[in-house]
Amino acid sequence: MECWEDLSVTFCHDAVQQVQIRIIDTNNHRPQFSKLRYDVSVPEDTPANTEVLQISAVDEDEKNKLTFTLLSSTDPFSLRKFRLDPGTGVLYTAEGLDHETMRQHTLTVMLFLCLNVCIHNSYDQVRDQDIPVKRNLVRVIINVVDTNDNAPWFVDSPYSGRVFESAAIGSAVLQVTALDKDQGHNAEIVYSIESGNVANTFAVDSVLGTIIVAKELDRSKKDQFELIVKASDKGTSPLSTTATVLILVTVSDNAAPKFTEKEFSAEVSESAHPGSFVCLVTASSQSSLFYQIKAGNINNAFDINPNSGVVVIQKGLDYETTPDYKLIIQATNMAGLASNTTVLVHLKDENDNAPVFLQREFTGMISESASVNSVVLTFESTPLVIRASDADGDHNSMLVYQIVEPFALNYFAVDSSTGAIRTITTLDYEQRKVFRFTVQVHDLGRPRLFSEAAANVTVNVINVNDCPPLFSQEVYEASVLVPTYKAVEVVKVNATDADSNAKFLFSISEGNIGDKFKMDPSNGVISIQNVTQLRSRYELKVRVSDGRFANTATVKITVKENGEHRLKFTRDSYKASVQENSLERKTLAVIAAVGNQVNEPLFYTILNPDKRFQISHTSGVLSTTGIPFDREEQSTFDIVVKVTRQDQPDDVVHVLVAITVEDENDNTPMFVNLPYHALIQMDADEGHVIRQVTAVDKDMANDSEGPRIVYTISEGDAFKQFSVDFNTGVLHVIQPLDFETHPAYRLSVRATDSLTGAHSEVFVDIILEDINDNAPEFLSKSYYANISEASMIGSSVLQVVAKDSDTGNNREITYQLVEEQGKSSDYFTIDRTTGIIKTAQMLDHEETPNLKLTVRAIDGGIPALSRDVTVSIDVIDLNDNAPIFTKTLYEVTVNELAPRGHFITQVQASDADSSDSEKLSFSIVSGNEDQSFAMDKNTGAIIISNHRRPHMLPLYNLTVSVSDGVFRSTAYVKVTVIGANFHNPTFPQVDYVVELMENSPVGTLVMEAKATDDDEGIYGEITYHIVNEFARDKFSVNENGEIVTLESLDRENNIEKVIPISLIAQDGGGKVGFCVINVILTDVNDNAPQFRAAEYKATIASDVPRGTSVARIAASDMDEGSNADIYYAIEADIESVEENFEIHPSTGVIVTKESLIGLEDELYAFFVRAKDAGNIPKQSVIQVYIRIVSPEVPVPKFVEPHYRFTISEDVLIGTEIDVIQAESEQPVSYILVRGNTPESNRDEVFVVDRDSGALKLEKALDHEATKWYQLTLLAQSKHENREVVASVSINIQVKDLNDNKPVFESDPYEAVIVENLPAGTSVIQVRATDLDSGTNGQVVYSLDPNQTYQEIAELFAISGETGWLTTLKELDREKISKYTIGVLATDRGDKVQHVTDAKVVVTVADVNDNPPRFTAEIYKGTVSEDDPPPSGVIAILSTTDADSEEINRQVNYFIT
């Protein structure tokens, strides 16, 4: 230790001087350790050069250097295991440790101090020079902690054992034993069964290793088990080993016989002869067996061989009597022990009965208006059904009906299964009124049997108005000349009707603007009705109806002006008169026209003809026809006469003849406002006005003659109690009235014509008022009736009758229907007087099964009283609707192992006809040829039949029918038979190599990777998926395993040269198979050669010998093979270039061809062409400059012919690689050629100092992108202002570093595994790639220690080398349906390791291993008896199912 102190020294003369004194430290302290003893624990798997302990010490002396050394150990072996850093005191491991070899190392560490020079000899001792050394010692104890570095090992492997089939559950079979060299938890062993434990038949004690029976054994199913038992230690990272255990299931000597099947089944024909073989029953036992039939052998129909167990027929069988037998077979061994089994014998029906018609004659009727497919009815309005029966059963009793006569097949069809007759075309009563044909029937048995005789069928056609009237032409045209007159006939339309006795009704439906025309409804004559403001043209739509059908036609009417014509009438108009009631034929006028040629005839016509007038066609004489006229009906007539010329029909003129009918007094007075009733009080006063009667006379009146009509009472007034006003007809009371004597009067009042004495009489009923105090009363409180829905319109339903206790008009009753909201009254009418109710519309039971009417009876009182009654009418259903299935397609699945009688499904149907809802009959029509299924004809339930085969087809397409006896409907039942999913999809190869031409178009087929699965049904249906994302972007796979491209691929793209496709094949049950397809892209010549430089320059002395290399032209081609073989050629415009130089076609070296002397200072510029050897070659050219100089011109010369460097890819930018210089007498500048490819410095990754030639890194390197660089360095100098160039090649290798992480081909992975599969099942293979090279690119797989579920490590394992993920235990979807497993990919870098994680999502596919269960044993519900259907919810049924997959939880409910 060295110290300095400052002292002040005072001199006598008061002067002060500073004195510095240095104190020199001496080594007088011993170094001290921080601890008296060091104890440390080190795991035995600690690698070499790992720091174990930091030994620290202090020394109070200054500036002394402490030195540590290992002095000794209790075991010399320990000194080799550790090393101590002398300067820092850090203790390191020197070699690997082993807890099992040496558990503790005891070391002695010495510490001493060096003041000057410390010299270490080979014995790690220290000495100093001339200065004493202080030492110290400390003990270091290193405990080697055990790690789990030893896997367990089985003492005796493989193991084998035997177990009796009758062994009880829990019985021990054998014990396996494993040991572990580790200690503690690392040596504690847990046993488990890894695989081979089919159906979990065995279990192993996890501690003792004892294998016991876990389930009942059955040798018939499996008599040998090969178990893989795993022994795992409990280390932090458990290690394990496996052993094979072979267990044979044997039979005990004292065990009862065991049949090979719990139930046997057989099928024999009912026609089989006695002695025919039925089946063989077998049982196993250690001694011989005796067989016998114990029960079920009805009528001793069968016998069994007591020794062999062969069952044979003993007596004749009859399917119709006993269709099946259930035999109980007993086997007894020599020890007297017996066992029973069941033999189900099903008889196969033979077709030995022909169909028989229930009757020989069938008669029906149908309206000719019935639509196609209408059912023919009987006279009782029920469908006509041809019926037959067959004594056979099942398929043999199914009947097919056929119409025999070909002509009848044009009109009718018979339902092949029900026998209902229907029309297939429209019928016409006018063409054929009766059809007679026959129907034959046969069954579907083999051979087919027909009835002995066919049935006779007669169908009567009922006539209806079914033909529409037709106009004689579609368009009529007519013209009208104006002026014209009312009733002038314009045109007459004609119509016909194919129906007989058709009556027509004509009318104008459209176009009659202003009602200018009218049409006679009976004869179709259109005439003028209104002559004012006629338009020039009218287009009328006329309609003709026969009461049901109608038709229309068009009538085009042109209105023309009657212009100037040569013809003229002698008068503008004519007038005439005729006497009323005259029968005389009278000439009214002679119509004369002028303007015609001499002797040219004129023709006269009446335009508005009337049967009472006629005109001579040539003379124009207008006269009456003798038909009397009635002035009161029509007093005047305007007759329009037309005259035309023979040769000019267009020269037409009209004239009006006005005719007046002269009146004759020929009418008697006529009373109006009839009838006459009066109601008066019986105490009416004298003079009381009763009422007025009125009469009129149609004859013309003459005011000068006075009143024409006078009124008198002619009869009924015996007591002179009434009077009538002579002129007005007003009746009065003139004497008191007596109700008891005369409650009513009937007066006869006369109206007399005062001129002629003609008279008329009328009754006047006078009723003394009786108060209307009684309403009508119906004879019944309510009425009920029923009527068939087939009844025609106008059919009588019933009659209602009411009575009234009043008198007179008060008791007169009329009936009417009361309109209600339901509009039931629209379907019926009622006769007002009689009360008879009739149908007004066709009825439909399905639409309105019952109707309620309210009928009202009204009396004649004032005010009137009424009473209502309810009439209930039920519409009787007619079978006019076919039953309908609730679905057209039923899809069900059934396990192939389902027993006979197992319920499959229930088809349901409904019939709109209520009367047929209980008559529906179901049957299987086709698809059940092997009779695997049976159907309940009443309920529609389908079950596995007793005739099912041991092995069912994977798919059945059943056609089922439902019939109501007339109509039939069909539906389809698709039954998918599901077999057990025993097999995984398997590819023929695990690895494929396939070549694909680059640039192939999208959709190109790469290959067909077809997997197979031996399972049937959905478990044999395979779908394919591409796992890795990169391949999934490039390719797609279809359901046939055909892999096609999704995009065009480029081989020159490094990542596309070889593309692995990880393919999964998955069956319908979730089991999978894997393969890898390596797609190698083959080359297409799609790249031209690329030169490494933009141009080439060279300088050469003229005295070089011939053949001297001048320059090397280098090009590369990204293609491969012949497409990348490059050939060089010189292309020059001047001949001297090829005279002096040539190029090697393969190497690209340009050499001198001749002596160059005399060519000094010449510069040759030419091109070199590089062309590849592809089928369609590609090429490139580059400029080359060669300068020839004299020998004395100094040319730069590089020291080396070429340079090679190796650098790491992590070299920093700016690093100087080397200094490359050329020797030259002149100053030199350096240029690094920039090529056309990455390897030739296209991206200027490297640069060179122009003056010094220092080669430096300009940009970052990436070994994965470019592993080699081939550079060209130019050295340029000048001689006499001319450029002189030399070049050299530089090769730079980029050394790889571990700078890339592994990359998983997919993240996340998606996998499916079926629950309950044994341990060791492969789940999926994960793959990761690392772009680095060597060990840096090698990948090791492991499970992520940090998982979502802690139990993942116990359920799954992954292969570190292959990446295969497998199960360690059976999985249960009901516990966990999906696992997300973290996997790691770690590279094997020397210094640093990169880790990448990915997720594997494993979906556990459900197996339908749990049946649905009702939540209650009994459900109760209530419904009111008057609730209309549907009545709503009665009860809610619920079930539970332990399965988790929805498809396995779906429940179908059936009412059985």
Side-chain angles (χ1 to χ4, degrees):
M1 183 175 183
E2 231 179 48
C3 298
W4 296 83
E5 293 190 12
D6 291 334
L7 303 176
S8 296
V9 179
T10 304
F11 294 91
C12 296
H13 298 289
D14 296 328
V16 178
Q17 180 66 40
Q18 186 76 23
V19 179
Q20 191 176 54
I21 302 173
R22 186 176 68 175
I23 302 173
I24 300 174
D25 184 30
T26 61
N27 187 15
N28 57 351
H29 293 89
R30 186 180 301 277
Q32 298 294 325
F33 286 98
S34 59
K35 295 181 179 179
L36 297 177
R37 171 175 166 168
Y38 290 89
D39 282 281
V40 66
S41 295
V42 179
E44 64 175 325
D45 58 354
T46 302
N49 298 317
T50 300
E51 180 179 335
V52 176
L53 175 66
Q54 171 73 58
I55 302 173
S56 59
V58 297
D59 193 311
E60 295 182 3
D61 296 319
E62 279 192 354
K63 297 182 181 179
N64 291 340
K65 182 178 181 182
L66 297 178
T67 302
F68 300 87
T69 183
L70 286 176
L71 182 62
S72 64
S73 66
T74 56
D75 190 325
F77 176 75
S78 300
L79 291 176
R80 297 203 309 266
K81 296 293 182 181
F82 302 94
R83 66 178 178 85
L84 184 63
D85 188 300
T88 63
V90 176
L91 184 66
Y92 296 91
T93 57
E95 295 179 359
L97 304 178
D98 186 7
H99 170 82
E100 286 72 30
T101 302
M102 182 175 287
R103 301 180 182 180
Q104 188 179 75
H105 299 269
T106 303
L107 307 177
T108 300
V109 176
M110 183 177 70
L111 175 66
F112 56 91
L113 186 66
C114 287
L115 294 179
N116 296 318
V117 180
C118 293
I119 302 174
H120 297 260
N121 59 18
S122 59
Y123 298 101
D124 286 334
Q125 295 182 359
V126 179
R127 62 184 180 88
D128 55 23
Q129 296 177 352
D130 301 330
I131 298 176
V133 175
K134 301 291 185 180
R135 298 178 174 84
N136 208 345
L137 301 175
V138 73
R139 181 65 54 85
V140 177
I141 297 176
I142 302 170
N143 297 300
V144 180
V145 179
D146 182 37
T147 59
N148 194 18
D149 59 345
N150 291 281
W153 54 278
F154 282 96
V155 174
D156 188 10
S157 178
Y159 294 86
S160 63
R162 292 174 178 269
V163 60
F164 289 132
E165 182 182 22
S166 58
I169 295 176
S171 301
V173 180
L174 57 84
Q175 182 178 25
V176 296
T177 304
L179 302 176
D180 194 311
K181 293 181 180 180
D182 295 317
Q183 292 185 343
H185 288 291
N186 295 332
E188 293 182 13
I189 295 176
V190 176
Y191 299 94
S192 62
I193 300 176
E194 286 292 283
S195 63
N197 192 14
V198 178
N200 294 324
T201 306
F202 299 96
V204 63
D205 188 296
S206 60
V207 178
L208 300 177
T210 303
I211 297 176
I212 61 174
V213 177
K215 288 186 177 179
E216 182 180 347
L217 301 174
D218 188 349
R219 291 185 71 250
S220 62
K221 294 183 178 179
K222 194 171 183 65
D223 60 0
Q224 181 175 307
F225 293 83
E226 187 172 328
L227 308 180
I228 303 299
V229 178
K230 183 172 75 171
S232 303
D233 58 30
K234 291 186 177 181
T236 305
S237 298
L239 299 178
S240 63
T241 188
T242 59
T244 302
V245 179
L246 181 63
I247 300 176
L248 300 177
V249 182
T250 61
V251 178
S252 173
D253 293 338
N254 58 354
K258 186 172 183 62
F259 284 96
T260 55
E261 301 286 345
K262 290 184 178 180
E263 181 181 273
F264 294 83
S265 65
E267 184 178 73
V268 295
S269 172
E270 65 173 330
S271 62
H273 299 292
S276 298
F277 174 82
V278 177
C279 69
L280 171 67
V281 294
T282 57
S284 59
S285 178
Q286 294 295 84
S287 60
S288 59
L289 296 173
F290 176 80
Y291 298 94
Q292 58 181 326
I293 301 176
K294 297 294 290 182
N297 194 11
I298 301 173
N299 296 326
N300 293 320
F302 301 94
D303 191 17
I304 189 171
N305 187 302
N307 299 315
S308 65
V310 173
V311 180
V312 296
I313 298 173
Q314 185 167 269
K315 292 182 179 181
L317 304 175
D318 184 10
Y319 174 85
E320 286 71 31
T321 303
T322 308
D324 54 65
Y325 295 83
K326 186 176 182 179
L327 306 178
I328 305 299
I329 306 295
Q330 185 179 80
T332 307
N333 62 14
M334 300 303 292
L337 300 175
S339 296
N340 292 343
T341 188
T342 301
V343 177
L344 299 176
V345 181
H346 305 284
L347 301 191
K348 182 180 179 182
D349 183 37
E350 298 297 338
N351 191 22
D352 52 358
N353 293 281
V356 177
F357 283 104
L358 301 185
Q359 61 191 68
R360 294 295 303 274
E361 299 287 338
F362 294 86
T363 304
M365 64 177 184
I366 189 166
S367 171
E368 66 171 331
S369 64
S371 60
V372 176
N373 288 324
S374 294
V375 176
V376 178
L377 303 178
T378 65
F379 291 105
E380 291 78 24
S381 296
T382 60
L384 177 63
V385 180
I386 313 302
R387 299 186 186 275
S389 63
D390 193 309
D392 291 318
D394 295 335
H395 208 62
N396 295 327
S397 65
M398 297 182 67
L399 303 181
V400 176
Y401 298 89
Q402 296 174 328
I403 294 176
V404 177
E405 289 77 10
F407 90 92
L409 294 173
N410 296 324
Y411 301 94
F412 300 97
V414 61
D415 189 292
S416 61
S417 62
T418 66
I421 305 291
R422 60 181 176 85
T423 62
I424 60 173
T425 185
T426 56
L427 303 178
D428 192 351
Y429 174 85
E430 287 71 30
Q431 293 183 1
R432 188 162 189 155
K433 301 177 177 58
V434 179
F435 290 87
R436 291 183 175 87
F437 53 91
T438 57
V439 172
Q440 182 58 279
V441 64
H442 68 81
D443 58 30
L444 291 177
R446 293 183 181 179
R448 291 183 177 179
L449 298 179
F450 289 80
S451 63
E452 290 185 2
N456 298 317
V457 181
T458 302
V459 179
N460 298 294
V461 182
I462 300 174
N463 186 32
V464 295
N465 180 14
D466 59 346
C467 296
L470 299 174
F471 281 101
S472 59
Q473 53 191 88
E474 294 183 357
V475 179
Y476 296 86
E477 294 186 356
S479 61
V480 174
L481 292 180
V482 292
T484 187
Y485 306 93
K486 185 176 181 180
V488 170
E489 183 178 325
V490 178
V491 67
K492 181 178 181 181
V493 297
N494 297 309
T496 59
D497 195 314
D499 289 319
S500 58
N501 302 322
K503 294 183 179 180
F504 297 144
L505 179 65
F506 296 93
S507 61
I508 300 174
S509 59
E510 296 180 21
N512 193 12
I513 301 172
D515 294 330
K516 303 299 183 184
F517 305 94
K518 72 175 182 178
M519 190 172 194
D520 190 296
S522 58
N523 61 24
V525 173
I526 299 176
S527 58
I528 300 293
Q529 179 170 274
N530 187 348
V531 298
T532 60
Q533 298 180 349
L534 290 175
R535 299 187 178 188
S536 61
R537 180 176 177 82
Y538 291 88
E539 186 169 312
L540 307 181
K541 290 287 185 183
V542 294
R543 182 178 183 272
V544 62
S545 171
D546 62 2
R548 181 181 179 186
F549 300 102
N551 209 334
T552 60
T554 302
V555 178
K556 297 182 178 179
I557 301 175
T558 303
V559 180
K560 300 179 181 179
E561 292 287 341
N562 195 358
E564 293 296 327
H565 298 278
R566 290 181 60 187
L567 291 177
K568 301 287 185 182
F569 285 102
T570 56
R571 299 184 192 176
D572 292 338
S573 64
Y574 294 85
K575 293 184 179 181
S577 64
V578 62
Q579 185 65 36
E580 181 182 16
N581 300 327
S582 174
L583 300 177
E584 179 186 357
R585 294 176 179 267
K586 177 184 179 181
T587 299
L588 300 177
V590 178
I591 311 302
V594 296
N596 56 322
Q597 300 293 331
V598 178
N599 297 324
E600 180 184 7
L602 299 178
F603 301 103
Y604 298 88
T605 307
I606 297 175
L607 291 181
N608 52 342
D610 190 301
K611 61 185 178 180
R612 287 167 289 195
F613 299 96
Q614 64 183 12
I615 191 168
S616 175
H617 189 52
T618 56
S619 66
V621 176
L622 179 67
S623 61
T624 61
T625 61
I627 298 175
F629 294 85
D630 187 356
R631 190 203 65 82
E632 286 73 33
E633 178 182 334
Q634 186 173 347
S635 61
T636 62
F637 294 88
D638 291 331
I639 303 298
V640 180
V641 177
K642 178 181 75 172
V643 63
T644 58
R645 299 169 64 178
Q646 182 179 10
D647 56 345
Q648 296 183 10
D650 293 337
D651 194 359
V652 178
V653 290
H654 298 164
V655 70
L656 179 65
V657 181
I659 300 172
T660 303
V661 180
E662 296 179 351
D663 187 37
E664 182 180 307
N665 193 1
D666 58 347
N667 290 282
T668 60
M670 182 175 63
F671 284 97
V672 295
N673 301 324
L674 298 179
Y676 293 111
H677 298 281
L679 185 68
I680 63 175
Q681 299 291 332
M682 58 184 180
D683 56 351
D685 297 332
E686 295 182 6
H688 175 76
V689 176
I690 299 172
R691 68 163 301 158
Q692 182 182 19
V693 296
T694 304
V696 296
D697 194 322
K698 293 184 179 180
D699 293 320
M700 296 181 62
N702 191 338
D703 295 340
S704 61
E705 297 176 352
R708 289 286 302 273
I709 299 175
V710 294
Y711 301 94
T712 58
I713 297 175
S714 59
E715 290 183 7
D717 188 17
F719 299 102
K720 305 298 182 182
Q721 295 170 300
F722 303 97
S723 69
V724 62
D725 188 278
F726 186 77
N727 295 320
T728 64
V730 175
L731 286 168
H732 299 84
V733 177
I734 59 174
Q735 290 293 335
L737 305 176
D738 186 359
F739 177 80
E740 284 71 22
T741 305
H742 290 285
Y745 298 86
R746 170 166 276 197
L747 304 181
S748 178
V749 179
R750 176 177 295 175
T752 306
D753 187 331
S754 61
L755 297 179
T756 64
H759 63 271
S760 296
E761 292 185 354
V762 70
F763 287 110
V764 179
D765 291 320
I766 300 173
I767 300 173
L768 298 188
E769 186 174 18
D770 175 23
I771 300 175
N772 187 21
D773 56 352
N774 292 287
E777 291 288 342
F778 284 97
L779 299 185
S780 178
K781 292 184 179 180
S782 63
Y783 291 85
Y784 168 80
N786 55 56
I787 185 170
S788 171
E789 63 175 328
S791 300
M792 304 300 292
I793 296 175
S795 300
S796 296
V797 181
L798 82 161
Q799 182 179 21
V800 295
V801 179
K803 301 293 184 180
D804 195 310
S805 300
D806 292 319
T807 60
N809 288 342
N810 293 344
R811 66 181 298 171
E812 293 183 2
I813 297 174
T814 57
Y815 301 94
Q816 69 180 39
L817 296 178
V818 179
E819 294 187 3
E820 296 180 340
Q821 186 175 3
K823 296 189 176 181
S824 295
S825 59
D826 293 346
Y827 294 93
F828 302 95
T829 61
I830 190 169
D831 188 287
R832 288 176 50 85
T833 304
T834 64
I836 295 176
I837 299 174
K838 298 182 179 181
T839 58
Q841 298 182 19
M842 292 298 294
L843 303 176
D844 188 353
H845 171 83
E846 287 69 40
E847 182 179 342
T848 51
N850 49 66
L851 298 163
K852 285 186 181 291
L853 302 178
T854 300
V855 178
R856 180 168 294 167
I858 306 172
D859 63 20
I862 301 176
L865 299 179
S866 64
R867 183 81 66 188
D868 293 347
V869 70
T870 299
V871 178
S872 299
I873 301 174
D874 286 341
V875 181
I876 300 175
D877 187 28
L878 173 69
N879 190 359
D880 57 350
N881 292 280
I884 299 174
F885 280 100
T886 56
K887 297 179 183 179
T888 57
L889 175 64
Y890 295 83
E891 294 185 273
V892 295
T893 57
V894 60
N895 195 289
E896 188 177 10
L897 303 178
R900 291 179 173 86
H902 178 77
F903 178 83
I904 302 295
T905 188
Q906 184 175 23
V907 298
Q908 295 176 326
S910 61
D911 196 312
D913 300 316
S914 59
S915 59
D916 297 330
S917 60
E918 302 297 328
K919 301 178 182 178
L920 299 184
S921 177
F922 299 88
S923 63
I924 300 176
V925 177
S926 63
N928 192 28
E929 285 71 18
D930 61 357
Q931 298 186 20
S932 293
F933 305 96
M935 190 174 200
D936 189 300
K937 66 178 183 178
N938 297 319
T939 65
I942 300 176
I943 62 173
I944 299 286
S945 78
N946 292 332
H947 299 284
R948 64 155 286 179
R949 299 294 186 269
H951 297 287
M952 299 176 70
L953 299 175
L955 179 66
Y956 289 87
N957 288 308
L958 305 180
T959 302
V960 296
S961 74
V962 60
S963 173
D964 58 8
V966 176
F967 299 99
R968 182 187 67 164
S969 296
T970 59
Y972 301 96
V973 180
K974 182 179 179 181
V975 182
T976 302
V977 180
I978 302 176
N981 193 12
F982 292 114
H983 303 91
N984 287 67
T986 304
F987 288 98
Q989 298 174 221
V990 177
D991 292 293
Y992 293 88
V993 177
V994 63
E995 292 185 348
L996 174 68
M997 186 177 294
E998 67 169 328
N999 303 331
S1000 295
V1002 174
T1004 299
L1005 177 65
V1006 179
M1007 73 167 294
E1008 182 181 11
K1010 190 76 173 177
T1012 58
D1013 194 314
D1014 292 336
D1015 294 314
E1016 294 182 348
I1018 59 173
Y1019 293 140
E1021 297 176 1
I1022 299 175
T1023 57
Y1024 300 88
H1025 309 280
I1026 295 175
V1027 177
N1028 46 330
E1029 294 173 354
F1030 180 76
R1032 200 160 52 233
D1033 295 337
K1034 308 294 182 184
F1035 304 94
S1036 68
V1037 61
N1038 64 15
E1039 66 276 6
N1040 297 320
E1042 295 175 341
I1043 299 173
V1044 297
T1045 58
L1046 291 177
E1047 60 183 49
S1048 181
L1049 302 174
D1050 185 7
R1051 190 202 64 83
E1052 285 70 43
N1053 186 346
N1054 287 331
I1055 62 175
E1056 295 184 359
K1057 285 185 178 181
V1058 179
I1059 303 176
I1061 302 175
S1062 296
L1063 191 63
I1064 286 183
Q1066 180 177 331
D1067 65 20
K1071 289 192 173 183
V1072 293
F1074 303 89
C1075 77
V1076 176
I1077 301 158
N1078 291 294
V1079 180
I1080 300 175
L1081 294 187
T1082 58
D1083 187 43
V1084 172
N1085 192 20
D1086 56 350
N1087 292 281
Q1090 297 290 323
F1091 289 98
R1092 293 180 184 168
E1095 62 181 8
Y1096 286 89
K1097 294 180 180 181
T1099 303
I1100 188 170
S1102 60
D1103 61 348
V1104 298
R1106 186 174 61 181
T1108 300
S1109 296
V1110 179
R1112 183 176 183 273
I1113 309 301
S1116 61
D1117 194 312
M1118 295 179 67
D1119 295 316
E1120 67 176 3
S1122 60
N1123 296 330
D1125 293 341
I1126 300 174
Y1127 298 95
Y1128 302 91
I1130 293 176
E1131 293 187 356
D1133 295 334
I1134 56 177
E1135 295 180 357
S1136 59
V1137 173
E1138 294 187 358
E1139 290 177 355
N1140 295 304
F1141 302 98
E1142 63 181 355
I1143 188 169
H1144 192 282
S1146 300
T1147 63
V1149 176
I1150 299 176
V1151 298
T1152 58
K1153 194 174 182 181
E1154 299 290 343
S1155 174
L1156 303 180
I1157 297 175
L1159 299 177
E1160 290 81 358
D1161 298 330
E1162 290 290 336
L1163 176 64
Y1164 287 88
F1166 56 90
F1167 291 95
V1168 170
R1169 181 176 303 277
K1171 181 166 65 174
D1172 61 30
N1175 289 332
I1176 302 176
K1178 293 184 177 293
Q1179 55 190 4
S1180 300
V1181 296
I1182 195 169
Q1183 184 80 52
V1184 179
Y1185 299 95
I1186 300 177
R1187 181 177 295 281
I1188 302 173
V1189 296
S1190 59
E1192 62 272 10
V1193 174
V1195 177
K1197 183 180 180 181
F1198 286 96
V1199 177
E1200 301 290 341
H1202 62 269
Y1203 294 87
R1204 179 186 294 272
F1205 303 100
T1206 300
I1207 60 176
S1208 177
E1209 65 176 321
D1210 63 346
V1211 171
L1212 298 177
I1213 295 175
T1215 299
E1216 184 179 287
I1217 308 301
D1218 200 356
V1219 176
I1220 303 173
Q1221 294 182 338
E1223 298 176 349
S1224 177
E1225 298 176 0
Q1226 302 294 330
V1228 177
S1229 60
Y1230 299 95
I1231 299 173
L1232 199 59
V1233 176
R1234 182 181 180 185
N1236 295 320
T1237 61
E1239 293 82 1
S1240 59
N1241 206 32
R1242 180 189 64 190
D1243 302 322
E1244 296 184 331
V1245 176
F1246 297 93
V1247 296
V1248 68
D1249 187 281
R1250 186 176 183 84
D1251 298 322
S1252 66
L1255 182 64
K1256 296 181 179 180
L1257 181 66
E1258 180 71 12
K1259 295 181 179 178
L1261 298 174
D1262 186 0
H1263 170 83
E1264 288 69 41
T1266 307
K1267 297 176 174 58
W1268 284 87
Y1269 287 90
Q1270 295 176 331
L1271 314 179
T1272 300
L1273 181 63
L1274 299 181
Q1276 295 181 343
S1277 65
K1278 289 195 180 277
H1279 178 74
E1280 297 179 356
N1281 293 326
R1282 292 185 180 177
E1283 189 178 78
V1284 181
V1285 179
S1287 64
V1288 72
S1289 295
I1290 303 173
N1291 291 333
I1292 301 176
Q1293 180 185 3
V1294 181
K1295 185 180 179 182
D1296 183 41
L1297 286 180
N1298 191 14
D1299 57 347
N1300 290 281
K1301 288 185 176 182
V1303 177
F1304 280 99
E1305 62 185 3
S1306 183
D1307 187 15
Y1309 288 87
E1310 293 184 357
V1312 178
I1313 184 171
V1314 179
E1315 66 174 329
N1316 305 330
L1317 290 181
T1321 301
S1322 297
V1323 180
I1324 197 172
Q1325 184 181 24
V1326 299
R1327 292 172 178 265
T1329 56
D1330 194 311
L1331 295 177
D1332 293 318
S1333 301
T1335 57
N1336 294 334
Q1338 296 178 1
V1339 179
V1340 178
Y1341 304 95
S1342 61
L1343 290 179
D1344 192 332
N1346 301 315
Q1347 297 287 349
T1348 307
Y1349 301 103
Q1350 294 182 353
E1351 60 269 23
I1352 282 179
E1354 300 176 3
L1355 297 175
F1356 298 94
I1358 190 169
S1359 171
E1361 297 298 326
T1362 65
W1364 272 106
L1365 186 70
T1366 56
T1367 59
L1368 296 175
K1369 295 181 179 179
E1370 291 184 3
L1371 304 179
D1372 186 357
R1373 178 180 170 85
E1374 282 66 51
K1375 292 182 179 179
I1376 299 179
S1377 61
K1378 183 178 290 186
Y1379 295 89
T1380 300
I1381 304 170
V1383 294
L1384 303 179
T1386 308
D1387 61 27
R1388 292 180 172 175
D1390 294 333
K1391 297 182 179 179
V1392 63
Q1393 292 81 38
H1394 294 291
V1395 180
T1396 303
D1397 65 326
K1399 300 296 182 184
V1400 180
V1401 179
V1402 179
T1403 301
V1404 182
D1406 189 37
V1407 174
N1408 190 14
D1409 51 358
N1410 295 282
R1413 301 184 186 278
F1414 282 102
T1415 56
E1417 293 184 0
I1418 299 175
Y1419 293 89
K1420 294 182 179 180
T1422 59
V1423 61
S1424 300
E1425 62 178 342
D1426 57 349
D1427 283 350
S1431 61
V1433 178
I1434 299 174
I1436 298 177
L1437 312 180
S1438 60
T1439 59
T1440 59
D1441 195 311
D1443 291 315
S1444 56
E1445 191 71 24
E1446 187 62 30
I1447 190 173
N1448 293 330
R1449 294 165 58 91
Q1450 293 179 359
V1451 179
N1452 293 323
Y1453 296 89
F1454 301 93
I1455 299 176
T1456 59

